[in-house]
Short mmCIF file of all heavy atoms in Angstrom, two decimals:
data_model
loop_
_atom_site.label_atom_id
_atom_site.label_comp_id
_atom_site.label_asym_id
_atom_site.label_seq_id
_atom_site.Cartn_x
_atom_site.Cartn_y
_atom_site.Cartn_z
N ARG A 208 15.77 6.63 -13.26
CA ARG A 208 15.29 7.86 -13.94
C ARG A 208 15.80 9.08 -13.32
O ARG A 208 15.98 10.12 -14.04
CB ARG A 208 13.74 7.84 -14.00
CG ARG A 208 13.04 7.95 -12.65
CD ARG A 208 11.56 7.74 -12.84
NE ARG A 208 10.88 7.69 -11.56
CZ ARG A 208 10.92 6.70 -10.64
NH1 ARG A 208 11.60 5.63 -10.93
NH2 ARG A 208 10.29 6.74 -9.50
N LYS A 209 15.98 9.13 -12.05
CA LYS A 209 16.45 10.38 -11.41
C LYS A 209 17.92 10.48 -11.30
O LYS A 209 18.45 11.48 -10.84
CB LYS A 209 15.73 10.50 -10.00
CG LYS A 209 14.22 10.81 -10.13
CD LYS A 209 13.57 10.75 -8.83
CE LYS A 209 12.05 10.91 -9.04
NZ LYS A 209 11.30 10.66 -7.80
N ALA A 216 11.23 13.56 -15.19
CA ALA A 216 11.35 12.16 -15.01
C ALA A 216 9.99 11.67 -14.65
O ALA A 216 9.30 12.20 -13.86
CB ALA A 216 12.30 11.92 -13.85
N ILE A 217 9.57 10.52 -15.30
CA ILE A 217 8.29 9.96 -15.08
C ILE A 217 8.46 8.46 -14.66
O ILE A 217 9.50 7.84 -15.02
CB ILE A 217 7.30 10.09 -16.21
CG1 ILE A 217 7.87 9.49 -17.45
CG2 ILE A 217 6.93 11.56 -16.43
CD1 ILE A 217 6.89 9.36 -18.64
N THR A 218 7.47 7.94 -13.97
CA THR A 218 7.63 6.46 -13.57
C THR A 218 7.37 5.58 -14.77
O THR A 218 6.73 6.01 -15.80
CB THR A 218 6.59 6.15 -12.52
OG1 THR A 218 5.28 6.34 -13.06
CG2 THR A 218 6.82 6.96 -11.28
N GLU A 219 7.74 4.33 -14.64
CA GLU A 219 7.58 3.41 -15.79
C GLU A 219 6.10 3.19 -16.02
O GLU A 219 5.73 2.76 -17.15
CB GLU A 219 8.19 2.02 -15.42
CG GLU A 219 9.64 2.10 -15.04
CD GLU A 219 9.89 2.33 -13.53
OE1 GLU A 219 9.61 3.42 -13.07
OE2 GLU A 219 10.36 1.47 -12.87
N ILE A 220 5.25 3.31 -15.05
CA ILE A 220 3.78 3.12 -15.26
C ILE A 220 3.24 4.12 -16.21
O ILE A 220 2.61 3.75 -17.24
CB ILE A 220 3.09 3.14 -13.92
CG1 ILE A 220 3.42 1.92 -13.09
CG2 ILE A 220 1.51 3.15 -14.09
CD1 ILE A 220 4.38 2.07 -12.05
N THR A 221 3.50 5.39 -16.00
CA THR A 221 3.04 6.45 -16.97
C THR A 221 3.71 6.26 -18.32
O THR A 221 3.00 6.39 -19.35
CB THR A 221 3.38 7.83 -16.34
OG1 THR A 221 2.85 7.98 -15.07
CG2 THR A 221 2.86 8.95 -17.23
N ILE A 224 2.00 3.50 -20.26
CA ILE A 224 0.66 3.89 -20.78
C ILE A 224 0.77 4.68 -22.06
O ILE A 224 0.12 4.39 -23.06
CB ILE A 224 -0.13 4.66 -19.71
CG1 ILE A 224 -0.37 3.79 -18.54
CG2 ILE A 224 -1.46 5.27 -20.24
CD1 ILE A 224 -0.94 4.54 -17.27
N PHE A 225 1.69 5.68 -22.08
CA PHE A 225 1.86 6.48 -23.30
C PHE A 225 2.45 5.66 -24.42
O PHE A 225 1.98 5.79 -25.54
CB PHE A 225 2.74 7.67 -22.95
CG PHE A 225 2.07 8.87 -22.34
CD1 PHE A 225 1.71 8.90 -21.03
CD2 PHE A 225 1.70 9.94 -23.15
CE1 PHE A 225 1.03 9.95 -20.48
CE2 PHE A 225 1.02 11.05 -22.64
CZ PHE A 225 0.65 11.06 -21.25
N ASP A 244 10.88 -6.73 -11.63
CA ASP A 244 9.47 -6.67 -11.20
C ASP A 244 8.50 -6.85 -12.38
O ASP A 244 8.91 -6.76 -13.48
CB ASP A 244 9.09 -5.42 -10.44
CG ASP A 244 9.29 -4.17 -11.22
OD1 ASP A 244 9.10 -4.21 -12.51
OD2 ASP A 244 9.51 -3.06 -10.69
N LYS A 246 4.70 -5.48 -13.69
CA LYS A 246 3.63 -4.46 -13.47
C LYS A 246 2.41 -4.80 -14.30
O LYS A 246 2.51 -5.11 -15.50
CB LYS A 246 4.05 -3.02 -13.86
CG LYS A 246 5.33 -2.64 -13.12
CD LYS A 246 5.83 -1.28 -13.58
CE LYS A 246 7.15 -0.98 -13.01
NZ LYS A 246 8.31 -1.69 -13.66
N ILE A 248 -1.11 -2.94 -15.42
CA ILE A 248 -1.75 -1.64 -15.39
C ILE A 248 -3.12 -1.76 -16.00
O ILE A 248 -3.24 -2.14 -17.11
CB ILE A 248 -0.90 -0.57 -16.17
CG1 ILE A 248 0.51 -0.54 -15.67
CG2 ILE A 248 -1.55 0.76 -16.05
CD1 ILE A 248 1.53 0.16 -16.50
N ASP A 249 -4.14 -1.51 -15.18
CA ASP A 249 -5.56 -1.60 -15.70
C ASP A 249 -6.00 -0.18 -16.11
O ASP A 249 -6.20 0.74 -15.26
CB ASP A 249 -6.43 -2.12 -14.54
CG ASP A 249 -7.83 -2.53 -15.03
OD1 ASP A 249 -8.21 -1.99 -16.18
OD2 ASP A 249 -8.48 -3.19 -14.34
N ASN A 252 -9.54 1.60 -15.00
CA ASN A 252 -9.90 2.31 -13.77
C ASN A 252 -8.63 2.99 -13.16
O ASN A 252 -8.59 3.26 -11.98
CB ASN A 252 -10.57 1.42 -12.79
CG ASN A 252 -9.75 0.20 -12.45
OD1 ASN A 252 -8.60 0.14 -12.83
ND2 ASN A 252 -10.33 -0.75 -11.77
N ASN A 253 -7.60 3.16 -13.98
CA ASN A 253 -6.36 3.79 -13.50
C ASN A 253 -5.79 3.10 -12.26
O ASN A 253 -5.33 3.73 -11.29
CB ASN A 253 -6.65 5.24 -13.09
CG ASN A 253 -6.57 6.17 -14.30
OD1 ASN A 253 -6.01 5.73 -15.29
ND2 ASN A 253 -7.12 7.34 -14.15
N SER A 254 -5.76 1.78 -12.31
CA SER A 254 -5.09 1.07 -11.16
C SER A 254 -4.01 0.25 -11.72
O SER A 254 -3.89 -0.08 -12.91
CB SER A 254 -6.12 0.09 -10.54
OG SER A 254 -7.19 0.81 -9.92
N PHE A 255 -3.09 -0.11 -10.77
CA PHE A 255 -1.90 -0.94 -11.19
C PHE A 255 -1.52 -1.77 -10.00
O PHE A 255 -1.71 -1.39 -8.82
CB PHE A 255 -0.78 -0.04 -11.75
CG PHE A 255 -0.21 0.91 -10.74
CD1 PHE A 255 0.77 0.57 -9.86
CD2 PHE A 255 -0.73 2.19 -10.68
CE1 PHE A 255 1.28 1.41 -8.98
CE2 PHE A 255 -0.21 3.12 -9.76
CZ PHE A 255 0.80 2.70 -8.86
N LEU A 256 -0.76 -2.87 -10.34
CA LEU A 256 -0.21 -3.75 -9.31
C LEU A 256 1.27 -3.87 -9.69
O LEU A 256 1.57 -4.03 -10.90
CB LEU A 256 -0.90 -5.06 -9.29
CG LEU A 256 -2.25 -5.22 -8.75
CD1 LEU A 256 -2.79 -6.63 -8.92
CD2 LEU A 256 -2.24 -4.90 -7.20
N ILE A 257 2.16 -3.91 -8.76
CA ILE A 257 3.55 -4.23 -8.98
C ILE A 257 3.96 -5.38 -8.08
O ILE A 257 3.79 -5.30 -6.88
CB ILE A 257 4.46 -3.00 -8.72
CG1 ILE A 257 3.98 -1.82 -9.41
CG2 ILE A 257 5.91 -3.28 -9.07
CD1 ILE A 257 4.76 -0.47 -9.13
N ASN A 258 4.55 -6.37 -8.70
CA ASN A 258 5.08 -7.45 -7.95
C ASN A 258 6.57 -7.34 -7.91
O ASN A 258 7.27 -7.56 -8.99
CB ASN A 258 4.63 -8.88 -8.55
CG ASN A 258 5.54 -9.96 -8.01
OD1 ASN A 258 5.93 -9.92 -6.86
ND2 ASN A 258 5.81 -11.00 -8.81
N ASP A 259 7.12 -6.95 -6.82
CA ASP A 259 8.60 -6.87 -6.72
C ASP A 259 9.16 -7.49 -5.49
O ASP A 259 10.27 -7.33 -5.11
CB ASP A 259 9.05 -5.42 -6.78
CG ASP A 259 8.45 -4.54 -5.68
OD1 ASP A 259 7.85 -5.15 -4.76
OD2 ASP A 259 8.58 -3.32 -5.70
N LYS A 260 8.31 -8.37 -4.87
CA LYS A 260 8.73 -8.99 -3.65
C LYS A 260 9.28 -10.36 -3.83
O LYS A 260 9.82 -11.01 -2.97
CB LYS A 260 7.58 -9.02 -2.61
CG LYS A 260 7.30 -7.71 -2.03
CD LYS A 260 6.35 -7.78 -0.87
CE LYS A 260 6.05 -6.43 -0.33
NZ LYS A 260 4.69 -6.24 0.13
N TYR A 384 5.33 11.31 -23.83
CA TYR A 384 4.93 12.15 -22.69
C TYR A 384 5.52 13.55 -22.86
O TYR A 384 4.88 14.56 -22.65
CB TYR A 384 5.34 11.50 -21.34
CG TYR A 384 4.98 12.31 -20.17
CD1 TYR A 384 3.73 12.14 -19.52
CD2 TYR A 384 5.89 13.25 -19.63
CE1 TYR A 384 3.48 12.84 -18.37
CE2 TYR A 384 5.57 13.97 -18.47
CZ TYR A 384 4.29 13.70 -17.84
OH TYR A 384 4.01 14.52 -16.77
N LYS A 388 2.93 16.40 -23.15
CA LYS A 388 2.71 17.04 -21.75
C LYS A 388 3.69 18.13 -21.39
O LYS A 388 3.35 19.15 -20.81
CB LYS A 388 2.65 16.00 -20.68
CG LYS A 388 1.57 14.98 -20.80
CD LYS A 388 0.16 15.66 -20.36
CE LYS A 388 -0.91 14.67 -20.56
NZ LYS A 388 -2.23 15.26 -20.31
N LEU B 1466 4.87 14.34 -3.26
CA LEU B 1466 4.48 13.84 -4.55
C LEU B 1466 3.20 14.46 -5.11
O LEU B 1466 2.67 13.98 -6.12
CB LEU B 1466 4.40 12.35 -4.58
CG LEU B 1466 5.77 11.63 -4.17
CD1 LEU B 1466 5.55 10.19 -3.95
CD2 LEU B 1466 6.78 11.83 -5.27
N PHE B 1528 1.31 -6.27 6.30
CA PHE B 1528 1.66 -7.68 6.08
C PHE B 1528 1.18 -8.58 7.19
O PHE B 1528 1.32 -8.19 8.40
CB PHE B 1528 3.17 -7.82 5.94
CG PHE B 1528 3.64 -9.23 5.79
CD1 PHE B 1528 3.45 -9.88 4.65
CD2 PHE B 1528 4.27 -9.87 6.83
CE1 PHE B 1528 3.87 -11.21 4.51
CE2 PHE B 1528 4.62 -11.23 6.73
CZ PHE B 1528 4.45 -11.87 5.53
N ASP B 1536 -9.07 -6.02 0.74
CA ASP B 1536 -8.63 -5.26 -0.44
C ASP B 1536 -9.59 -5.54 -1.63
O ASP B 1536 -10.01 -4.62 -2.33
CB ASP B 1536 -7.22 -5.44 -0.82
CG ASP B 1536 -6.69 -4.38 -1.79
OD1 ASP B 1536 -6.75 -3.22 -1.48
OD2 ASP B 1536 -6.35 -4.80 -2.91
N ARG B 1540 -12.04 -2.90 -3.69
CA ARG B 1540 -11.88 -2.69 -5.09
C ARG B 1540 -13.21 -2.90 -5.77
O ARG B 1540 -13.44 -2.35 -6.90
CB ARG B 1540 -10.82 -3.58 -5.65
CG ARG B 1540 -9.42 -3.07 -5.24
CD ARG B 1540 -8.26 -3.91 -5.84
NE ARG B 1540 -7.05 -3.24 -5.50
CZ ARG B 1540 -6.43 -2.31 -6.33
NH1 ARG B 1540 -6.97 -2.04 -7.47
NH2 ARG B 1540 -5.33 -1.84 -5.98
N TYR B 1545 -13.48 4.24 -7.34
CA TYR B 1545 -12.40 5.22 -7.44
C TYR B 1545 -11.10 4.46 -7.92
O TYR B 1545 -11.01 3.27 -7.66
CB TYR B 1545 -12.14 5.84 -6.05
CG TYR B 1545 -13.18 6.69 -5.60
CD1 TYR B 1545 -14.25 6.23 -4.88
CD2 TYR B 1545 -13.10 8.09 -5.77
CE1 TYR B 1545 -15.21 7.02 -4.38
CE2 TYR B 1545 -14.11 8.98 -5.33
CZ TYR B 1545 -15.17 8.45 -4.56
OH TYR B 1545 -16.18 9.29 -4.03
N PRO B 1546 -10.18 5.19 -8.57
CA PRO B 1546 -8.92 4.59 -8.76
C PRO B 1546 -8.32 4.22 -7.41
O PRO B 1546 -8.29 5.02 -6.46
CB PRO B 1546 -8.06 5.67 -9.38
CG PRO B 1546 -9.09 6.65 -10.00
CD PRO B 1546 -10.24 6.61 -9.05
N ILE B 1547 -7.83 2.97 -7.22
CA ILE B 1547 -7.30 2.55 -5.97
C ILE B 1547 -5.87 2.08 -6.06
O ILE B 1547 -5.54 1.33 -6.94
CB ILE B 1547 -8.21 1.35 -5.33
CG1 ILE B 1547 -9.62 1.85 -5.06
CG2 ILE B 1547 -7.58 0.83 -4.03
CD1 ILE B 1547 -10.55 0.80 -4.54
N LEU B 1548 -5.01 2.55 -5.09
CA LEU B 1548 -3.64 2.05 -4.99
C LEU B 1548 -3.61 1.26 -3.73
O LEU B 1548 -3.89 1.79 -2.64
CB LEU B 1548 -2.69 3.24 -5.01
CG LEU B 1548 -1.24 2.80 -4.66
CD1 LEU B 1548 -0.63 2.12 -5.85
CD2 LEU B 1548 -0.44 4.09 -4.35
N THR B 1549 -3.12 0.02 -3.85
CA THR B 1549 -2.92 -0.79 -2.60
C THR B 1549 -1.40 -0.76 -2.36
O THR B 1549 -0.65 -1.09 -3.19
CB THR B 1549 -3.37 -2.16 -2.81
OG1 THR B 1549 -4.77 -2.09 -3.27
CG2 THR B 1549 -3.32 -2.93 -1.56
N GLN B 1551 1.48 -2.22 0.66
CA GLN B 1551 1.64 -3.05 1.78
C GLN B 1551 2.91 -2.80 2.53
O GLN B 1551 4.00 -2.71 1.86
CB GLN B 1551 1.56 -4.55 1.39
CG GLN B 1551 1.58 -5.44 2.60
CD GLN B 1551 1.32 -6.95 2.25
OE1 GLN B 1551 2.22 -7.59 1.81
NE2 GLN B 1551 0.11 -7.37 2.47
N GLY B 1552 2.81 -2.63 3.77
CA GLY B 1552 4.04 -2.43 4.58
C GLY B 1552 4.29 -3.62 5.55
O GLY B 1552 3.38 -4.44 5.69
N GLN B 1561 10.28 1.32 -3.01
CA GLN B 1561 9.30 0.63 -3.81
C GLN B 1561 7.89 1.16 -3.56
O GLN B 1561 7.12 1.30 -4.49
CB GLN B 1561 9.23 -0.88 -3.46
CG GLN B 1561 10.48 -1.64 -3.77
CD GLN B 1561 11.34 -1.86 -2.54
OE1 GLN B 1561 11.54 -0.91 -1.82
NE2 GLN B 1561 11.90 -2.95 -2.32
N VAL B 1563 7.42 4.32 -2.48
CA VAL B 1563 7.49 5.75 -3.08
C VAL B 1563 7.20 5.70 -4.57
O VAL B 1563 6.45 6.52 -5.07
CB VAL B 1563 8.91 6.40 -2.87
CG1 VAL B 1563 8.99 7.74 -3.55
CG2 VAL B 1563 9.18 6.43 -1.31
N LEU B 1564 7.75 4.69 -5.30
CA LEU B 1564 7.47 4.46 -6.70
C LEU B 1564 6.07 4.34 -6.97
O LEU B 1564 5.43 5.00 -7.84
CB LEU B 1564 8.28 3.28 -7.26
CG LEU B 1564 7.87 2.89 -8.65
CD1 LEU B 1564 8.38 3.86 -9.64
CD2 LEU B 1564 8.38 1.50 -9.02
N ARG B 1565 5.32 3.56 -6.12
CA ARG B 1565 3.88 3.36 -6.29
C ARG B 1565 3.17 4.68 -6.14
O ARG B 1565 2.23 5.02 -6.81
CB ARG B 1565 3.41 2.28 -5.29
CG ARG B 1565 3.76 0.88 -5.78
CD ARG B 1565 3.70 -0.03 -4.58
NE ARG B 1565 3.89 -1.43 -4.94
CZ ARG B 1565 5.05 -2.02 -5.16
NH1 ARG B 1565 6.17 -1.29 -5.08
NH2 ARG B 1565 5.19 -3.32 -5.42
N LEU B 1566 3.54 5.42 -5.08
CA LEU B 1566 2.79 6.64 -4.77
C LEU B 1566 3.07 7.66 -5.89
O LEU B 1566 2.12 8.34 -6.28
CB LEU B 1566 3.30 7.27 -3.44
CG LEU B 1566 2.92 6.52 -2.21
CD1 LEU B 1566 3.65 7.05 -0.98
CD2 LEU B 1566 1.43 6.59 -1.93
N GLU B 1567 4.32 7.73 -6.40
CA GLU B 1567 4.62 8.61 -7.47
C GLU B 1567 3.85 8.25 -8.80
O GLU B 1567 3.24 9.13 -9.43
CB GLU B 1567 6.13 8.58 -7.80
CG GLU B 1567 6.69 9.59 -8.58
CD GLU B 1567 8.19 9.58 -8.79
OE1 GLU B 1567 8.84 8.76 -8.07
OE2 GLU B 1567 8.76 10.24 -9.66
N ALA B 1568 3.76 6.96 -9.06
CA ALA B 1568 3.01 6.53 -10.23
C ALA B 1568 1.53 6.88 -10.09
O ALA B 1568 0.88 7.27 -11.08
CB ALA B 1568 3.30 5.04 -10.51
N PHE B 1569 1.00 6.60 -8.95
CA PHE B 1569 -0.42 6.93 -8.61
C PHE B 1569 -0.69 8.37 -8.84
O PHE B 1569 -1.70 8.78 -9.47
CB PHE B 1569 -0.73 6.43 -7.24
CG PHE B 1569 -2.22 6.38 -6.99
CD1 PHE B 1569 -3.10 5.61 -7.84
CD2 PHE B 1569 -2.82 7.06 -5.89
CE1 PHE B 1569 -4.42 5.51 -7.52
CE2 PHE B 1569 -4.20 6.91 -5.61
CZ PHE B 1569 -5.00 6.16 -6.46
N GLU B 1571 1.03 10.43 -10.68
CA GLU B 1571 1.05 10.72 -12.10
C GLU B 1571 -0.19 10.34 -12.86
O GLU B 1571 -0.75 11.08 -13.74
CB GLU B 1571 2.23 10.08 -12.81
CG GLU B 1571 3.58 10.64 -12.48
CD GLU B 1571 4.80 9.85 -13.02
OE1 GLU B 1571 4.52 8.82 -13.71
OE2 GLU B 1571 5.94 10.19 -12.77
N MET B 1572 -0.73 9.14 -12.48
CA MET B 1572 -1.88 8.62 -13.14
C MET B 1572 -3.12 9.49 -12.86
O MET B 1572 -3.91 9.81 -13.80
CB MET B 1572 -2.19 7.23 -12.65
CG MET B 1572 -1.37 6.13 -13.38
SD MET B 1572 -1.88 4.47 -12.77
CE MET B 1572 -2.87 3.93 -14.09
N LEU B 1573 -3.24 9.92 -11.68
CA LEU B 1573 -4.41 10.74 -11.30
C LEU B 1573 -4.30 12.07 -12.01
O LEU B 1573 -5.29 12.68 -12.46
CB LEU B 1573 -4.47 10.95 -9.73
CG LEU B 1573 -4.85 9.73 -8.95
CD1 LEU B 1573 -4.81 10.10 -7.45
CD2 LEU B 1573 -6.22 9.15 -9.32
N GLU B 1574 -3.06 12.66 -12.12
CA GLU B 1574 -2.91 13.91 -12.68
C GLU B 1574 -3.12 13.90 -14.22
O GLU B 1574 -3.83 14.73 -14.73
CB GLU B 1574 -1.44 14.37 -12.47
CG GLU B 1574 -1.29 15.87 -12.59
CD GLU B 1574 0.11 16.35 -12.18
OE1 GLU B 1574 0.84 15.55 -11.71
OE2 GLU B 1574 0.42 17.55 -12.41
N VAL B 1575 -2.67 12.81 -14.85
CA VAL B 1575 -2.87 12.68 -16.28
C VAL B 1575 -4.35 12.45 -16.67
O VAL B 1575 -4.87 12.99 -17.65
CB VAL B 1575 -2.05 11.51 -16.82
CG1 VAL B 1575 -2.42 11.11 -18.29
CG2 VAL B 1575 -0.54 11.84 -16.85
N SER B 1576 -5.11 11.74 -15.74
CA SER B 1576 -6.44 11.46 -16.07
C SER B 1576 -7.45 12.59 -15.68
O SER B 1576 -8.61 12.56 -16.00
CB SER B 1576 -6.87 10.16 -15.34
OG SER B 1576 -6.87 10.35 -13.89
#
Side-chain angles (χ1 to χ4, degrees):
Chain A
R208 64 190 177 282
K209 289 175 184 167
I217 58 170
T218 63
E219 303 91 289
I220 288 100
T221 304
I224 295 170
F225 276 78
D244 63 28
K246 303 175 186 80
I248 307 164
D249 190 342
N252 57 12
N253 276 340
S254 292
F255 61 87
L256 288 173
I257 306 177
N258 165 32
D259 57 12
K260 287 189 180 144
Y384 178 90
K388 295 284 175 186
Chain B
L1466 298 169
F1528 175 73
D1536 191 60
R1540 285 180 173 272
Y1545 289 86
I1547 297 180
L1548 171 72
T1549 305
Q1551 185 171 79
Q1561 296 98 316
V1563 176
L1564 169 70
R1565 285 160 173 78
L1566 291 170
E1567 194 176 348
F1569 194 54
E1571 284 175 4
M1572 280 183 101
L1573 293 177
E1574 202 174 352
V1575 168
S1576 65

